[in-house]
Amino acid sequence: MIDIEELRKRVGLSNTNFDEELKEVELAAIEDLKMSGIHENKIVASDSVICQAITAYVRANFRNNKQSDKYQKTYERLRYKMSVSSKYKNPPKEV
């Protein structure tokens, strides 16, 4: 989703030692967005709100971060706004 170099930069890392862990946390963020009703086709790197939400999730859940509560609240706020927006919601299922 987000390029690993960009993700590293967003969380303040310069080396590749944690790339695998970063990608795992990013995947967890994506799965959480899907479980919240955000359509998987809307979870794209070109959407700045999606990228900000994923970055906040990664910053909140990657290693020990003294500001993780702040980032978690940011993620939850963005996730909620997307989950109630018709732009991001799953389309209704046909019966």
Side-chain angles (χ1 to χ4, degrees), residues 2 5 7 17 32 36-37 39 45-46 51 54 61-65 70 77 79 81 87:
I2 299 174
E5 290 178 19
L7 190 57
N17 294 346
D32 189 67
S36 299
H39 195 277
S46 60
C51 287
I54 290 172
N61 294 285
F62 178 73
R63 301 265 156 172
N64 293 329
N65 184 341
K70 172 181 126 179
R77 189 170 40 251
R79 182 187 62 194
K81 288 180 179 182
K87 177 181 177 181

Side-chain angles (χ1 to χ4, degrees), residues 1-10 19 22-23 26 45 51:
M1 173 61 212
I2 299 174
D3 178 67
I4 190 63
E5 290 178 19
E6 178 65 23
L7 190 57
R8 239 187 274 124
K9 186 170 86 173
R10 287 172 176 248
D19 284 1
L22 278 173
K23 291 309 272 183
E26 179 193 39
C51 287

Side-chain angles (χ1 to χ4, degrees), residues 31-83:
E31 287 303 313
D32 189 67
L33 291 173
K34 289 182 200 176
M35 288 187 290
S36 299
I38 296 161
H39 195 277
E40 64 183 303
N41 291 342
K42 302 295 184 176
I43 303 174
V44 294
S46 60
D47 188 300
S48 61
V49 177
I50 292 287
C51 287
Q52 286 298 318
I54 290 172
T55 299
Y57 185 97
V58 171
R59 292 185 92 173
N61 294 285
F62 178 73
R63 301 265 156 172
N64 293 329
N65 184 341
K66 292 179 182 178
Q67 296 182 336
S68 62
D69 287 342
K70 172 181 126 179
Y71 292 117
Q72 186 65 33
K73 287 177 185 173
T74 298
Y75 170 74
E76 290 170 0
R77 189 170 40 251
L78 289 169
R79 182 187 62 194
Y80 173 75
K81 288 180 179 182
M82 288 186 288
S83 73

